[in-house]
């Protein structure tokens, strides 16, 4: 028989990964083939034994006719039949009834334990979050721990039996043949002189090999029993979900484990499946149970990940492709797995795995994120040779005429944003805007930053009206409004603060760009959350590497010092869009051009002559928005009235 090259590792029994299941299926297939071969071999040996027994009966009948041979021939054939029964048939029957039947029984027990564990995990995954019942949660956690421990114990016994079978099957095949050979040798005493010394040495070698294999089996069985006792001596918290005591590792670039994925089963119905997911390079892979290898589910390069509320389930997050057309909702088992999966996907989306030392880069980025939200007095200088942000063609980064770019050396971060500046992650009007509106008149202020007159003016006089799907990332006060570097620094600090504080949830809004203002509108209620006059937007730019990020700086007035004119104040707003941020910047730049052209009728006529218009006289944007999945690419984006 061939030597054993592999065995089932007991330390992999608790994780129960598809790789372990795949190796287990190989052992199970081998056990099945061995069972079939043993049954066929036993039938052949029983046929030989039956023939020898019939030979003994025939010899006994012959001995009655030949009295001289009665004792001699009859005793020889009877002894040969007894030796065959004891040394050839009986060991094989014992191997089939003891070892192979034990494997079959343990397989059934392991299958039942696995089904019970899966059923317990389904109940636990459906545990509600909004109306949380501590008693119900405690009972489900205990049930999951009990079934997981039961499955672990059954898998350990099953694995040990399969590993032991690799040794016992060789002994079980050798013993019947050895017994048959010895019985034939003892029977053919007259031909003993034909048996050479080489045959004796061969039989002795086979006997020694059988004893050696038995010794190896005893040693391996004792080692497996020790490992089994060690694995089963752990605390019950090992089997309980969401009971991790280890801290969250935010620098991972590879992750593997079971997740629940939501799949549509109808127009309005969904189902959750528990599958094994793992990352490989920049791809998210999935491997169902029973599959030999995993398949790619999603390309994670430049993808986005965020926490979501889904069907009152806990620990859910959504991964969206760069185009915004493909997304999936996954559910982790516990809080630590939930946070590590989000951090891992976020790290992979930055293509850290392509660097020479991805682990060091991930650690450095995590430290940078911590520094970005820690009040400090000095910052490191920006590396030299950074990309020139001054790109003046459509789809690039635009510079408004109201602000001039600083020349010379790059400004220090503390010159752009004060250290320790608080970051706002939700839409709220700045206090200065409320003061501005209250100084303008005594009428009641709309809490969403718009008035009826403004709405009428925008809908009636605007030559440009373009809507983009965006997600608000954050805003913060800045020190200047005439330098694009302040937008890049604000993007860095806002994203770093979200990463370090685990703020991944964002709300989608519609950013409406008109020739007079920028408005952020709730897509469900169509209520304007916040509005900016286009003249107050002094800077706007898209991220130099992540094209879906864009931001702008708004100028306001601060009357806290009692000055009648007020001191200028600046706020930076950062957004993530479903389309390229450069397209939004191009539209804002076009709106500013229209605003300037309105002052000169000839310039406005020239601009309208150069730009394509719709049938009602509004500007037509020929580049479609790639992130719009509802209309697809069939219609061009047109300015709406």
């Amino acid at each position: 028989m061939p030597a054993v090259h592999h065995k089932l590792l007991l330390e992999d029994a608790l994780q129960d990964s598809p790789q372990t299941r795949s190796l287990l299926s190989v052992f199970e297939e081998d056990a099945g083939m061995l069972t079939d071969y043993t049954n066929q071999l036993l039938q052949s040996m029983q046929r030989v034994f039956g023939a020898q027994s019939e030979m003994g009966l025939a010899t006994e009948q012959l001995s009655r006719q030949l009295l001289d041979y009665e004792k001699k021939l009859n005793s020889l054939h009877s002894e040969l039949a007894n030796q065959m029964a004891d040394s050839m048939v009986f060991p094989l029957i014992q191997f089939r009834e003891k070892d192979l039947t034990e494997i079959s029984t343990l397989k059934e027990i392991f299958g039942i334990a696995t089904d019970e564990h899966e059923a317990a995990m389904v109940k636990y995954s459906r545990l509600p979050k909004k109306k949380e019942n501590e008693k119900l949660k405690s009972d489900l956690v205990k049930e999951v721990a009990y079934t997981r421990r039961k499955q672990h114990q059954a898998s350990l016994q099953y694995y040990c039996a399969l590993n032991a079978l690799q040794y016992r099957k060789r002994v079980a095949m050798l013993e019947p043949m050895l017994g048959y050979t010895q019985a034939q040798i003892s029977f053919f005493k007259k031909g003993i002189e034909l048996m050479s010394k080489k045959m004796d040495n061969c039989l002795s070698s086979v006997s020694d090999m059988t004893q050696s294999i038995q010794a190896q089996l005893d040693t391996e069985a004792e080692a497996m029993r020790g490992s089994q006792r060690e694995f089963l001596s752990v605390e019950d918290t090992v089997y309980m979900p969401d009971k991790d005591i280890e801290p969250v590792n935010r620098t991972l670039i590879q992750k593997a484990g079971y997740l629940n994925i939501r799949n549509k089963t109808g127009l309005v119905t969904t189902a959750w499946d528990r599958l094994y997911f793992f990352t490989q390079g920049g791809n998210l892979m999935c491997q169902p149970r029973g599959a030999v290898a995993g398949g790619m589910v999603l390309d994670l390069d430049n993808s986005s990940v965020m926490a979501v509320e889904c069907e009152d389930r806990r620990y859910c997050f959504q991964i969206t492709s760069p185009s915004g057309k493909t997304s999936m909702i996954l559910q982790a088992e516990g809080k630590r797995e939930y946070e590590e999966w989000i951090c891992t996907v976020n790290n992979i989306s930055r293509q850290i795995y392509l660097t020479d030392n991805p682990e060091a880069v991930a650690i450095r980025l995590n430290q940078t994120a911590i520094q970005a939200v820690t009040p400090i007095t000095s910052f490191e200088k920006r590396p030299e040779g950074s990309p020139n942000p001054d790109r003046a063609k459509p789809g690039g980064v635009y510079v408004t005429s109201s602000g001039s770019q600083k020349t010379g050396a790059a400004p220090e971060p503390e010159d752009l944003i004060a250290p320790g500046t608080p970051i706002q992650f939700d839409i709220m009007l700045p206090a200065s805007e409320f003061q501005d509106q209250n100084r303008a008149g005594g009428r009641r202020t709309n809490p969403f930053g718009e008035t009826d007159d403004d709405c009428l003016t925008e809908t009636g006089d605007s030559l440009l009206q373009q809507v983009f799907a965006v997600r608000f990332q954050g805003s913060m006060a800045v020190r200047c409004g005439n330098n694009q570097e302040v937008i890049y620094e604000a993007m860095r600090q806002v994203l770093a603060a979200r990463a370090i504080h685990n703020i991944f949830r964002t709300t989608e809004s519609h950013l409406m760009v008109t020739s007079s203002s920028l408005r952020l509108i709730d897509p469900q209620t169509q209520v304007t959350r916040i509005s900016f006059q286009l003249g107050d937007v002094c800077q706007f730019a898209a991220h130099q590497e992540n094209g879906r990020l864009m931001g702008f700086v708004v100028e306001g007035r601060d009357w806290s010092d009692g000055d009648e004119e007020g001191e200028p104040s600046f706020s930076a707003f950062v957004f993530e869009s479903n389309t390229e941020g450069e397209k939004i910047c191009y539209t804002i730049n076009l709106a500013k051009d229209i605003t300037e052209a309105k002052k000169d009728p000839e310039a406005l006529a020239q601009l309208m002559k150069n730009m394509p218009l719709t049938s009602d006289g509004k500007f037509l944007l020929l580049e479609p928005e790639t992130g719009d999945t509802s209309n697809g690419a069939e219609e061009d984006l047109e300015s709406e009235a």
Side-chain angles (χ1 to χ4, degrees):
M1 301 296 289
V4 178
H5 297 291
H6 301 285
K7 67 177 181 179
L8 292 168
L9 300 179
L10 301 184
E11 52 268 26
D12 294 339
L14 179 58
Q15 186 181 10
D16 194 25
S17 64
Q19 290 82 359
T20 306
R21 287 279 184 154
S22 178
L23 184 59
L24 177 62
S25 65
V26 175
F27 279 73
E28 290 177 343
E29 183 179 1
D30 179 71
M33 295 175 61
L34 180 62
T35 301
D36 296 337
Y37 177 78
T38 302
N39 292 332
Q40 295 176 4
L41 182 61
L42 181 59
Q43 290 179 359
S44 301
M45 290 186 173
Q46 287 177 339
R47 186 176 179 182
V48 172
F49 171 71
Q52 184 60 41
S53 300
E54 184 66 23
M55 184 67 179
L57 294 176
T59 305
E60 181 180 1
Q61 185 177 4
L62 179 63
S63 64
R64 293 175 183 175
Q65 302 295 328
L66 304 174
L67 297 179
D68 294 341
Y69 296 93
E70 180 178 0
K71 295 182 180 180
K72 190 173 182 180
L73 291 178
N74 188 30
S75 61
L76 285 177
H77 286 284
S78 298
E79 182 180 357
L80 178 59
N82 293 333
Q83 287 183 351
M84 286 185 176
D86 295 337
S87 60
M88 183 180 70
V89 179
F90 178 73
L92 201 59
I93 294 177
Q94 188 178 21
F95 171 72
R96 185 185 67 174
E97 300 297 330
K98 180 181 178 182
D99 297 316
L100 297 181
T101 304
E102 180 186 8
I103 292 294
S104 178
T105 304
L106 291 176
K107 181 179 180 180
E108 294 179 0
I109 295 175
F110 177 68
I112 294 173
T114 301
D115 294 339
E116 292 178 353
H117 175 250
E118 290 295 327
M121 283 304 304
V122 170
K123 293 181 182 179
Y124 175 78
S125 299
R126 294 176 179 173
L127 189 66
K129 178 181 178 183
K130 294 181 180 178
K131 297 181 180 179
E132 187 167 345
N133 189 333
E134 292 296 329
K135 184 176 182 306
L136 178 60
K137 178 182 177 182
S138 177
D139 294 341
L140 290 179
V141 167
K142 291 180 180 179
E143 183 180 357
V144 171
Y146 171 75
T147 56
R148 187 169 291 179
R149 187 182 188 95
K150 183 178 178 181
Q151 183 196 24
H152 189 202
Q153 185 175 4
S155 62
L156 289 176
Q157 295 177 352
Y158 189 32
Y159 289 5
C160 291
L162 287 175
N163 290 338
L165 184 64
Q166 303 305 311
Y167 296 92
R168 289 174 179 167
K169 67 181 182 181
R170 295 188 289 178
V171 176
M173 297 299 104
L174 289 175
E175 282 184 350
M177 301 307 300
L178 183 61
Y180 176 77
T181 304
Q182 290 177 344
Q184 293 293 338
I185 291 176
S186 62
F187 176 76
F188 295 106
K189 289 183 178 181
K190 293 184 178 181
I192 194 63
E193 63 276 5
L194 301 177
M195 298 294 176
S196 62
K197 187 177 181 181
K198 186 176 181 180
M199 179 62 72
D200 294 337
N201 293 335
C202 178
L203 296 177
S204 176
S205 176
V206 171
S207 179
D208 294 341
M209 184 177 66
T210 302
Q211 295 177 1
S212 176
I213 294 175
Q214 185 65 37
Q216 293 179 15
L217 171 60
D218 296 339
T219 304
E220 184 69 19
E222 183 62 29
M224 289 189 294
R225 283 192 292 268
S227 300
Q228 186 175 358
R229 288 192 297 268
E230 181 181 355
F231 288 135
L232 293 178
S233 63
V234 297
E235 298 291 336
D236 289 339
T237 55
V238 175
Y239 303 95
M240 294 182 180
D242 202 16
K243 293 291 183 180
D244 299 305
I245 58 176
E246 298 181 2
V248 178
N249 188 354
R250 307 183 188 280
T251 61
L252 295 174
I253 57 174
Q254 290 183 347
K255 184 70 176 172
Y258 280 98
L259 294 173
N260 292 333
I261 181 172
R262 190 181 72 164
N263 296 319
K264 281 190 176 182
T265 57
L267 293 177
V268 294
T269 58
T270 59
W272 293 82
D273 297 325
R274 188 167 181 260
L275 301 176
Y276 188 82
F277 289 85
F278 61 96
T279 59
Q280 189 175 46
N283 299 324
L284 179 64
M285 313 291 287
C286 175
Q287 184 175 357
R289 285 189 175 180
V292 179
M296 190 183 78
V297 178
L298 188 66
D299 185 1
L300 298 179
D301 287 346
N302 297 321
S303 63
S304 61
V305 57
M306 62 180 178
V308 293
E309 296 284 349
C310 186
E311 298 181 6
D312 197 23
R313 288 191 173 222
R314 304 183 302 168
Y315 310 131
C316 293
F317 59 96
Q318 176 176 313
I319 304 176
T320 307
S321 63
S323 64
K325 295 182 178 180
T326 304
S327 64
M328 62 175 58
I329 296 179
L330 304 170
Q331 181 189 20
E333 180 177 305
K335 184 177 181 181
R336 176 171 172 267
E337 289 289 311
Y338 160 78
E339 295 184 4
E340 285 189 351
W341 268 107
I342 292 179
C343 293
T344 302
V345 174
N346 191 36
N347 291 337
I348 294 176
S349 67
R350 301 180 184 179
Q351 299 182 349
I352 296 176
Y353 65 94
L354 297 178
T355 59
D356 294 335
N357 193 351
E359 290 81 5
V361 174
I363 294 174
R364 185 170 66 253
L365 288 177
N366 185 55
Q367 293 174 348
T368 304
I370 296 176
Q371 294 174 0
V373 294
T374 304
I376 54 178
T377 57
S378 64
F379 289 79
E380 295 181 358
K381 292 185 178 180
R382 190 178 301 276
E384 296 181 359
S386 59
N388 183 12
D390 209 359
R391 293 175 287 173
K393 60 182 180 180
V397 180
Y398 300 92
V399 184
T400 63
S401 59
S402 60
S404 60
Q405 297 294 328
K406 289 185 179 181
T407 59
E412 296 292 336
E414 61 266 24
D415 296 334
L416 304 174
I417 301 175
T421 300
I423 300 176
Q424 182 175 303
F425 298 107
D426 198 3
I427 295 294
M428 291 179 62
L429 281 177
S432 59
E433 186 166 343
F434 282 110
Q435 295 174 0
D436 216 2
Q437 293 177 356
N438 293 332
R439 285 177 181 270
R443 61 183 176 178
R444 185 177 180 182
T445 304
N446 190 318
F448 297 101
E450 63 175 346
T451 61
D452 295 338
D453 295 339
D454 294 338
C455 297
L456 292 176
T457 302
E458 289 181 0
T459 56
D461 299 336
S462 180
L463 293 175
L464 175 68
Q465 203 170 51
Q466 181 64 35
V467 178
F468 298 93
V470 297
R471 290 176 293 276
F472 179 71
Q473 299 294 317
S475 64
M476 61 191 308
V478 296
R479 287 182 167 178
C480 62
N482 60 349
N483 194 317
Q484 289 180 355
E485 293 296 328
V486 72
I487 299 178
Y488 304 141
E489 182 64 21
M491 290 179 180
R492 185 185 71 83
Q493 293 198 22
V494 167
L495 295 181
R498 279 185 171 273
I500 198 64
H501 292 299
N502 294 328
I503 304 175
F504 300 105
R505 185 177 290 106
T506 58
T507 304
E508 184 168 305
S509 304
H510 287 170
L511 179 64
M512 177 180 289
V513 182
T514 69
S515 58
S516 59
S517 65
L518 301 180
R519 297 169 58 193
L520 200 64
I521 302 174
D522 190 318
Q524 301 296 330
T525 62
Q526 298 301 313
V527 174
T528 300
R529 293 175 175 170
I530 191 170
S531 177
F532 306 102
Q533 293 300 316
L534 195 61
D536 295 337
V537 180
C538 53
Q539 284 290 334
F540 50 91
H543 196 277
Q544 295 169 326
E545 296 179 358
N546 187 352
R548 294 186 291 113
L549 285 177
M550 66 83 57
F552 55 81
V553 178
V554 178
E555 181 179 358
R557 292 291 170 180
D558 184 8
W559 288 277
S560 59
D561 296 336
D563 191 354
E564 293 183 359
E565 297 183 358
E567 292 293 331
S569 62
F570 302 94
S571 299
F573 293 80
V574 180
F575 296 88
E576 181 185 26
S577 64
N578 291 341
T579 182
E580 293 293 334
E582 294 178 348
K583 293 184 180 180
I584 303 178
C585 294
Y586 173 73
T587 307
I588 297 175
N589 189 68
L590 177 61
K592 282 186 169 290
D593 291 343
I594 296 174
T595 302
E596 292 296 327
K598 283 182 180 180
K599 301 176 182 179
D600 185 359
E602 296 182 359
L604 180 59
Q606 184 65 27
L607 179 62
M608 296 179 67
K609 183 184 299 184
N610 295 333
M611 293 293 296
L613 302 176
T614 63
S615 58
D616 56 354
K618 293 182 175 60
F619 286 93
L620 175 66
L621 300 182
L622 297 179
E623 296 185 6
E625 183 177 348
T626 58
D628 190 358
T629 59
S630 61
N631 295 332
E634 296 179 0
E635 299 180 2
D636 292 333
L637 288 181
E638 181 181 330
S639 58
E640 301 174 357

